[in-house]
């Protein structure tokens, strides 16, 4: 991994060169425009071009005026609407400030300005897609039905030709094995974030509580150890819930090491990626799922779990009422938690890292079908992967407002004095943007954090199905019916609200009546064909 400062300087040199080309094109366009005016050209066209090229970016209304223009070599500026993901409720003023800073980098370089929206709500994104709302670049994390559904529903467009023409940096930066998870039926529809492409399950536990209890986190290595710690928290901290959801409505980072071949309901999976078995099964019929539900039912009976875990609307329980939650363990996770919740946590890792398709495919960037300027959308996306300053702005916000340099080498950043990053209105969420690995690290982290993350991902065990994307079209009716059944049982079982001895048999019977065996059989057939072709 190159030094981040060097990477930044190279990116700025690249921007400068591109700016010179854009400036030359703009000058040529203005000369042509002047000639047309002298020859009796339409003055309205000239005024429109001037307005587009020199529009004020201080507010949303000014950038909206250019949204109807098309991108050409005349120097006109196109406004693209970018939909990003966030865990926290975003502040519109802060998003606009970031968009203005982005526009300073992209306007003269690629002829693009952006309007920025960030959300964690699947329903809002789904409504935007189904209604045909103007969207130009979308991060898919909050779209839980997944890429294949986006494709079959006609929401997104293929990008093979766009990548070839305008996405050369993406093709160079993103490993081919990762790019293939953005394919459906042989066509490329999305590009994955360069983030933690591997995962390892475990818990985050508040460091101050562990210290007060005299517990060394390195001694917590098994489920039994975790149980004993939660009991001590229950007995000594009546104002804390020992275990809380990772996000609202019973959200839970996964702890079972299966490969989810169907999104989002895990109706067809490879039960354990570490065995390299290619047998497709229904997750809810496995011993691993039953044993996990039994453990959670016991913990619930013992008062170790937040009582309204499945109904809470709070996404930040660890910042207020929780001691521990399920987390995806990776290098830099402690710093990520510190930024989000302003607390220190120790991480308890329960298994070795592994990589599977949905760890990557869950965070793709796609170009919706309604995008009127897909060439410019791809140019922007390409720059988001390759330009260090642009990536840093989108991830961390505006210098002096959301962050400032923490060292002379410009490899570390920190919150400005008087600014609490956790409540700044613009969440720094590195994994939700195309390429965090070319950005500086927050103070408190290690300067080689991105090297550590790469080593973590390189060491992960790869699922034999990596790259396989299930085409759900042949069994869509069954998936819908089974999804309703999953919604009725799964979250309540996972948080110990239902007795698994009684509920799991009912759950499985209902799934079979809804057609889960058809889903498993279809998925097995498609996986076998995929492995035969790619094995």
């Amino acid at each position: 991994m190159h030094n981040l400062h060097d990477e930044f300087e190279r990116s700025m040199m690249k921007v400068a060169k591109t700016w010179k080309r854009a400036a030359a094109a703009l000058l040529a366009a203005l000369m042509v425009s002047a000639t047309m005016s002298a020859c009796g050209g339409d003055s309205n066209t000239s005024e429109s071009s001037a307005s587009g090229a020199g529009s004020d970016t201080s507010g949303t209304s000014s950038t909206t005026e250019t949204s109807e223009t098309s991108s050409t070599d005349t120097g006109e500026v196109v406004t693209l609407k970018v939909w990003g993901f966030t865990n926290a409720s975003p502040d519109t003023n802060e998003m606009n400030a970031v968009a203005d800073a982005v526009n300073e980098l992209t306007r003269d370089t690629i002829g693009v300005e952006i309007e920025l929206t960030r959300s964690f709500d699947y329903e809002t994104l789904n409504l935007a897609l189904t209604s045909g709302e103007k969207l130009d670049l979308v991060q898919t994390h909050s779209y839980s039905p997944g890429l294949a559904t986006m494709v079959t529903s006609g929401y997104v467009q293929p990008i093979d030709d766009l990548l070839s023409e305008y996405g050369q940096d993406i093709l160079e930066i993103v490993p081919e094995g990762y790019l293939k998870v953005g394919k459906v039926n042989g066509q490329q529809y999305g590009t994955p974030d360069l983030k933690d492409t591997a995962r390892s399950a475990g818990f985050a536990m508040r460091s101050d509580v562990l210290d007060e209890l005299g517990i060394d986190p390195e001694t917590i290595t098994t489920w039994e150890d975790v149980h004993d710690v939660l009991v001590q928290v229950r007995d000594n901290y009546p104002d804390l819930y020992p275990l809380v959801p990772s996000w609202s409505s019973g959200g839970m980072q996964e702890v079972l090491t299966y490969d989810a071949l169907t999104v989002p309901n895990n109706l067809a999976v490879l039960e354990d990626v570490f065995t390299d078995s290619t047998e497709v099964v229904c997750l809810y019929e496995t011993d691993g799922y039953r044993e996990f539900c039994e453990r959670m039912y016991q913990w619930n009976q013992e008062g170790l779990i937040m009582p309204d875990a499945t109904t809470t609307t709070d996404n930040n329980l660890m910042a207020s009422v929780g001691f521990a939650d399920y987390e995806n363990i990776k290098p830099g996770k402690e710093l990520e938690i510190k930024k989000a919740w302003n607390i220190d946590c120790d991480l308890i890792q329960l298994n070795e890292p592994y990589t599977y398709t949905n760890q990557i495919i869950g965070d793709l960037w796609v170009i919706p079908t309604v995008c009127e300027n897909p060439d410019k959308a791809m140019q922007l996306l390409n720059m988001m992967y390759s330009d260090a300053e642009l990536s840093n702005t989108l991830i961390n916000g505006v210098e002096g407002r959301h962050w400032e340099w923490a060292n002379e080498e410009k490899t570390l950043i920190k919150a400005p004095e008087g600014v609490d990053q956790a409540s700044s209105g613009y969440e720094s969420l590195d994994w939700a943007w195309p390429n965090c690995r070319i950005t500086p690290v927050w103070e408190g982290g290690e300067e080689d954090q991105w090297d550590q993350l790469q080593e973590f991902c390189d060491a992960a065990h790869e699922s034999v199905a990596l790259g396989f994307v299930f085409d759900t079209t042949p069994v869509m009716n069954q998936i819908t019916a089974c999804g309703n059944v999953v919604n009725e049982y799964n979250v309540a079982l996972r948080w110990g609200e239902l007795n698994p001895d009684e509920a799991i048999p009912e759950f499985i019977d209902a799934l079979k009546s809804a057609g889960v065996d058809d889903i498993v059989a279809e998925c097995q057939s498609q996986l076998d064909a995929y492995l035969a072709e790619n094995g």
Side-chain angles (χ1 to χ4, degrees):
M1 180 73 65
H2 297 294
N3 180 277
L4 291 172
H5 181 51
D6 294 341
E7 187 72 37
F8 179 84
E9 291 182 340
R10 283 194 295 273
S11 296
M12 291 305 297
M13 291 175 64
K14 181 178 178 181
V15 168
K17 291 178 182 178
T18 309
W19 183 89
K20 290 179 181 178
R21 292 195 296 268
L26 176 58
L27 178 60
L30 291 175
M31 292 174 65
V32 171
S33 177
T35 302
M36 291 178 63
S37 298
C39 297
D42 186 353
S43 61
N44 289 334
T45 302
S46 176
E47 290 174 3
S48 174
S49 296
S51 175
S55 60
D56 179 14
T57 61
S58 61
T60 303
S61 60
S62 63
T63 59
T64 303
E65 292 176 2
T66 67
S67 63
E68 299 302 320
T69 64
S70 61
S71 173
T72 68
D73 291 333
T74 64
E76 294 178 341
V77 177
V78 169
T79 297
L80 302 179
K81 187 169 182 179
V82 178
W83 184 292
F85 179 78
T86 182
N87 288 307
S89 296
D91 183 294
T92 301
N93 290 332
E94 300 308 312
M95 284 195 297
N96 288 344
V98 171
D100 288 344
V102 166
N103 294 340
E104 291 299 317
L105 301 173
T106 60
R107 184 188 303 112
D108 295 330
T109 307
I110 57 174
V112 165
E113 292 179 350
I114 72 166
E115 293 177 2
L116 179 60
T117 297
R118 298 182 74 187
S119 175
F120 53 79
D121 184 14
Y122 152 67
E123 293 297 341
T124 302
L125 177 55
N126 185 55
L127 179 61
L129 291 168
T130 56
S131 66
E133 178 181 330
K134 173 180 163 52
L135 294 172
D136 299 290
L137 269 179
V138 170
Q139 211 268 9
T140 64
H141 184 83
S142 59
Y143 188 79
S144 56
L147 178 65
T149 299
M150 278 187 160
V151 172
T152 56
S153 299
Y155 297 155
V156 295
Q157 56 183 286
I159 58 173
D160 301 84
D161 293 340
L162 292 170
L163 268 174
S164 297
E165 188 166 359
Y166 302 110
Q168 292 301 317
D169 290 326
I170 297 174
L171 294 175
E172 181 178 346
I173 293 169
V174 181
E176 183 178 355
Y178 293 168
L179 274 176
K180 66 182 181 180
V181 306
K183 290 187 175 182
V184 176
N185 297 327
Q187 285 189 295
Q188 194 82 38
Y189 286 91
T191 60
D193 291 341
L194 284 177
K195 58 180 185 70
D196 47 316
T197 52
R199 72 183 319 277
S200 180
F203 295 86
M205 295 182 176
R206 281 181 47 169
S207 301
D208 58 342
V209 175
L210 289 174
D211 289 343
E212 290 170 5
L213 291 174
I215 299 173
D216 180 353
E218 293 189 2
T219 64
I220 310 171
T221 60
T222 67
W223 283 101
E224 289 73 22
D225 295 336
V226 172
H227 170 267
D228 293 344
V229 172
L230 297 182
V231 168
Q232 292 189 57
V233 173
R234 178 200 64 191
D235 294 343
N236 291 279
Y237 293 86
D239 294 333
L240 286 178
Y241 296 118
L243 183 62
V244 297
S246 305
W247 58 89
S248 64
S249 303
M252 177 186 290
Q253 292 288 359
E254 190 54 68
V255 292
L256 303 175
T257 58
Y258 60 84
D259 186 342
L261 304 178
T262 54
V263 178
N265 291 319
N266 304 323
L267 298 165
V269 305
L270 300 181
E271 183 176 0
D272 186 351
V273 297
F274 291 101
T275 67
D276 292 335
S277 170
T278 61
E279 180 185 3
V280 179
V281 297
C282 172
L283 172 67
Y284 309 109
E285 296 183 67
T286 65
D287 290 340
Y289 180 79
R290 176 182 51 79
E291 291 167 0
F292 177 72
C293 292
E294 289 172 347
R295 175 177 288 112
M296 292 298 286
Y297 182 68
Q298 175 193 335
W299 287 8
N300 197 312
Q301 296 294 299
E302 295 177 358
L304 304 181
I305 296 173
M306 180 179 178
D308 55 347
T310 61
T311 58
T312 178
T313 59
D314 194 338
N315 278 303
N316 299 291
L317 291 159
M318 284 287 287
S320 53
V321 298
F323 161 73
D325 76 338
Y326 287 104
E327 285 296 340
N328 176 20
I329 310 301
K330 62 177 181 179
K333 187 66 179 182
E334 297 98 331
L335 184 60
E336 184 178 304
I337 290 172
K338 179 73 171 180
K339 286 191 297 176
W341 299 331
N342 201 27
I343 60 174
D344 293 313
C345 283
D346 288 290
L347 303 179
I348 310 302
Q349 184 173 334
L350 294 180
N351 55 49
E352 294 301 312
Y354 62 99
T355 297
Y356 66 112
T357 296
N358 284 318
Q359 176 64 16
I360 306 172
I361 201 174
D363 297 296
L364 295 172
W365 285 88
V366 297
I367 300 178
T369 308
V370 296
C371 175
E372 298 175 356
N373 295 282
D375 56 337
K376 283 298 179 185
M378 180 56 69
Q379 289 178 53
L380 175 61
L381 184 60
N382 189 69
M383 191 173 172
M384 288 161 70
Y385 276 92
S386 58
D387 187 285
E389 187 175 7
L390 176 59
S391 184
N392 186 37
T393 303
L394 287 166
I395 291 174
N396 296 312
V398 181
E399 182 179 3
R401 182 170 181 147
H402 302 113
W403 63 271
E404 62 185 19
W405 294 109
N407 61 349
E408 293 183 359
E409 296 78 14
K410 294 188 175 182
T411 57
L412 295 173
I413 60 176
K414 62 182 180 179
E417 185 176 354
V419 174
D420 178 6
Q421 212 291 316
S423 57
S424 68
Y426 191 82
E427 183 184 22
S428 172
L429 201 62
D430 52 51
W431 57 262
W433 294 98
N435 191 4
C436 61
R437 301 184 187 185
I438 56 174
T439 64
V441 176
W442 280 80
E443 188 176 48
E446 299 182 39
E447 291 189 46
D448 65 344
Q449 175 178 310
W450 305 127
D451 290 332
Q452 293 182 35
L453 182 63
Q454 185 62 54
E455 293 172 4
F456 175 82
C457 295
D458 289 344
H461 184 91
E462 286 191 358
S463 168
V464 293
L466 184 65
F468 169 70
V469 178
F470 181 34
D471 178 7
T472 58
T473 306
V475 287
M476 184 58 71
N477 290 337
Q478 293 93 323
I479 286 177
T480 300
C482 288
N484 293 332
V485 176
V486 171
N487 291 338
E488 181 179 353
Y489 286 95
N490 181 43
V491 174
L493 276 165
R494 280 178 173 269
W495 285 101
E497 294 183 357
L498 297 177
N499 185 338
D501 291 338
E502 299 171 357
I504 288 183
E506 295 176 5
F507 186 14
I508 294 173
D509 286 345
L511 286 173
K512 290 188 176 297
S513 296
V516 72
D517 290 339
D518 296 337
I519 299 169
V520 170
E522 177 63 28
C523 188
Q524 183 74 71
S525 176
Q526 290 186 30
L527 178 62
D528 290 344
Y530 173 83
L531 294 174
E533 182 177 348
N534 296 275

